[in-house]
Amino acid sequence: EPEVTQTPSHQVTQMGQEVILRCVPISNHLYFYWYRQILGQKVEFLVSFYNNEISEKSEIFDDQFSVERPDGSNFTLKIRSTKLEDSAMYFCASRGTAAWSQYFGPGTRLLVL
Amino acid sequence: GQQLNQSPQSMFIQEGEDVSMNCTSSSIFNTWLWYKQDPGEGPVLLIALYKAGELTSNGRLTAQFGITRKDSFLNISASIPSDVGIYFCAGSSTDSWGKLQFGAGTQVVVTP
């Protein structure tokens, strides 16, 4: 069964450093999403992406964040200068055009020191 | 902003018992999704609901999309130890690109 994959599974970085989180959505899906989950809290929407552009973003997704689909399979989230409060699980999700169901990847646990 | 409340926060039940949890929203959703999350993993889609009044089953799971489009419930019948985990409701509205708003989750603990 097709699934969303994410790399790395864990990343530790120093405050101020740039990180790139990678996702491979399900192959025939066209809508892509990033969410984050701070430890013990609910999942929060960050950004949605369709047709090579951002379609919607939350207040969390400020100028330090960017997304890109560099090729036909990868979807990346970049945090330009990480802050301590960026420590969280980051989930990528994708959906097709026929239904609104979103399928999530296993997540990347980001720890900013 | 839109408020989404999920209850109960946690449930401790014995194996074989039924479990029920629900979510209510301050505004209308056009989609309700129910997910299960195990520790350190991503949410796994259990059931998707797209129409008001829709009742959908997936094995021992049953979920309904409320008539008002502002609520949904999930039932688990005859619980087993592997039902342990956190269950999240999530909804999206027609004025978004599918952005999901999540509930705070219901932690289910099943004892033998």
Side-chain angles (χ1 to χ4, degrees):
Chain A
E1 180 155 335
E3 57 183 20
V4 177
T5 60
Q6 290 185 244
T7 55
S9 58
H10 295 78
Q11 176 130 18
V12 181
T13 190
Q14 295 288 326
M15 191 170 57
Q17 295 295 304
E18 174 184 286
V19 294
I20 298 176
L21 310 183
R22 291 182 167 79
C23 168
V24 178
I26 293 173
S27 63
N28 61 346
H29 284 183
L30 298 179
Y31 296 84
F32 313 116
Y33 304 85
W34 284 101
Y35 294 82
R36 79 171 186 191
Q37 186 179 32
I38 294 170
L39 188 64
Q41 298 186 21
K42 67 169 80 173
V43 177
E44 300 174 288
F45 168 78
L46 292 178
V47 66
S48 59
F49 191 86
Y50 171 72
N51 199 25
N52 279 320
E53 59 183 28
I54 291 173
S55 46
E56 192 171 10
K57 60 183 180 180
S58 72
E59 292 175 353
I60 302 167
F61 195 89
D62 61 22
D63 292 344
Q64 293 300 312
F65 291 86
S66 62
V67 289
E68 192 178 33
R69 187 151 164 84
D71 54 45
S73 60
N74 291 283
F75 179 50
T76 63
L77 174 69
K78 181 193 292 186
I79 309 176
R80 205 180 331 272
S81 177
T82 50
K83 302 187 287 285
L84 296 176
E85 54 265 37
D86 292 329
S87 296
M89 280 285 278
Y90 287 81
F91 295 108
C92 172
S94 70
R95 72 172 175 94
T97 54
W100 290 80
S101 298
Q102 289 182 31
Y103 296 87
F104 282 72
T108 294
R109 183 176 295 281
L110 177 65
L111 178 60
V112 182
L113 303 177
Chain B
Q2 203 164 41
Q3 297 290 323
L4 202 165
N5 297 306
Q6 183 172 353
S7 64
Q9 188 174 10
S10 60
M11 301 188 72
F12 293 82
I13 58 171
Q14 284 203 311
E15 186 175 355
E17 289 184 341
D18 297 346
V19 175
S20 185
M21 61 196 80
N22 71 285
C23 282
T24 57
S25 170
S26 58
S27 50
I28 289 171
F29 283 144
N30 71 317
T31 299
W32 281 100
L33 305 174
W34 284 92
Y35 290 89
K36 179 174 184 258
Q37 186 179 32
D38 291 329
E41 298 185 13
V44 174
L45 183 64
L46 300 174
I47 290 182
L49 301 160
Y50 301 112
K51 286 167 48 178
E54 181 180 0
L55 184 72
T56 297
S57 293
N58 178 8
R60 293 178 295 105
L61 307 177
T62 302
Q64 185 160 31
F65 194 142
I67 290 290
T68 65
R69 296 168 64 193
K70 292 184 177 182
D71 63 302
S72 178
F73 72 75
L74 174 72
N75 286 341
I76 307 171
S77 63
S79 58
I80 59 178
S82 62
D83 290 334
V84 165
I86 301 178
Y87 292 78
F88 290 97
C89 63
S92 69
S93 54
T94 52
D95 60 351
S96 77
W97 286 79
K99 171 186 75 175
L100 290 178
Q101 184 171 350
F102 277 77
T106 295
Q107 176 148 30
V108 172
V109 177
V110 181
T111 57

